Amino acid sequence: MTASTIALIGFGVLLVILLGFAAIVLVKILAGSITLEGLISEADSSKASLSRFQFLVFTFLVAGLFLLLTIETGGFVEIPATVLGLLGISGGSYVVSKVVSAQDTQKKTANPPEDV
Amino acid sequence: MTWFLAEVVEFALIAWLGILALFVALSILRGDIPLAGLLSSRSGGADPERVQSLLIVGFVLVAYLVEFADLPSDATALPDVPEALLALLAGSNGLYLSGKIARTGALTPTPPAARNRRREGNE
């Protein structure tokens, strides 16, 4: 057995494992075992979060276009710094929004409204 | 053979991402992923900073898709995001976060009465 054959078998096994993980996660999401109900909701309520929605939209956009272009060109394509900046802005906004919400919840817990 | 396996992976990944995106979109349309309150803070009513943020996100999304559609067939990189769009998005997010901070008062200091209550609770 040559080294290239061993490498090919190893690559095939790795592929099966990784694609298997991806398939299991997708099947569980479609079956409802992994729920996406709180995907864009704030941590402490069922209210939708705009920063989470924005992060989701831009993540799908960049990932989808990257994969499409990779298939079209037959090899990995470059991701410009400005695209990473776009993801950074939406990700940063999500983190700051989460911190603000957490601070607000903490304040409300420490200082509950008094009954008049 | 390796080339064939790589092609299988590429198509499997795009199919996986496509199915997930479609499922998320359908869940949102069916209401399984709620969008209630997307444009309002907890006090209710649409907030202008949220409305402008959503409009800017939609604009940036469409503008970038147009840039992608204009790519030449031999492109080897994703299209650049114009700096004006980045500045617009950053400014819009800054406005949204400022509005959120102002409305929740999350960064204002705790009133003295509450600090005393907390101290009494710890004694």
Side-chain angles (χ1 to χ4, degrees):
Chain A
M1 205 179 260
T2 61
S4 59
T5 310
I6 295 169
L8 195 64
I9 293 169
F11 179 64
V13 168
L14 199 63
L15 205 66
V16 166
I17 292 170
L18 291 176
L19 288 181
F21 279 146
I24 288 168
V25 166
L26 191 63
V27 163
K28 282 189 173 281
I29 289 171
L30 294 174
S33 312
I34 297 173
T35 175
L36 295 182
E37 200 183 303
L39 184 67
I40 48 176
S41 300
E42 288 182 3
D44 53 349
S45 74
S46 58
K47 193 177 111 35
S49 166
L50 190 58
S51 51
R52 281 180 182 239
F53 182 70
Q54 182 190 158
F55 198 23
L56 180 77
V57 162
F58 284 134
T59 301
F60 269 119
L61 173 75
V62 173
L65 294 182
F66 176 77
L67 277 173
L68 274 173
L69 203 55
T70 300
I71 289 171
E72 205 178 304
T73 58
F76 278 119
V77 295
E78 222 179 282
I79 302 177
T82 49
V83 172
L84 296 177
L86 179 82
L87 287 174
I89 289 170
S90 68
S93 174
Y94 161 67
V95 167
V96 173
S97 175
K98 207 170 159 76
V99 167
V100 169
S101 295
Q103 294 270 17
D104 184 41
T105 305
Q106 211 174 34
K107 273 179 77 94
K108 284 194 169 88
T109 312
N111 189 26
E114 287 175 6
D115 292 327
V116 177
Chain B
M1 185 65 175
T2 315
W3 173 84
F4 171 74
L5 289 175
E7 289 285 302
V8 166
V9 173
E10 282 172 3
F11 281 105
L13 281 176
I14 197 80
W16 187 90
L17 193 66
I19 292 169
L20 184 65
L22 194 66
F23 182 74
V24 168
L26 284 173
S27 297
I28 290 172
L29 286 171
R30 282 199 315 246
D32 297 334
I33 297 174
L35 284 183
L38 190 70
L39 295 178
S40 59
S41 53
R42 290 171 205 210
S43 51
D47 298 333
E49 66 272 10
R50 287 172 181 262
V51 173
Q52 68 81 30
S53 180
L54 188 66
L55 288 173
I56 298 296
V57 164
F59 177 74
V60 169
L61 188 71
V62 168
Y64 193 68
L65 285 171
V66 168
E67 289 274 337
F68 184 80
D70 281 342
L71 269 182
S73 53
D74 58 348
T76 55
L78 283 173
D80 260 306
V81 180
E83 285 187 14
L85 274 186
L86 276 184
L88 187 66
L89 187 69
S92 165
N93 279 355
L95 207 61
Y96 159 66
L97 289 171
S98 304
K100 189 178 172 107
I101 290 167
R103 284 179 198 279
T104 59
L107 298 183
T108 54
T110 315
R115 279 204 298 267
N116 291 338
R117 270 201 299 276
R118 241 187 278 153
R119 244 181 263 137
E120 281 162 20
N122 290 338
E123 280 165 10

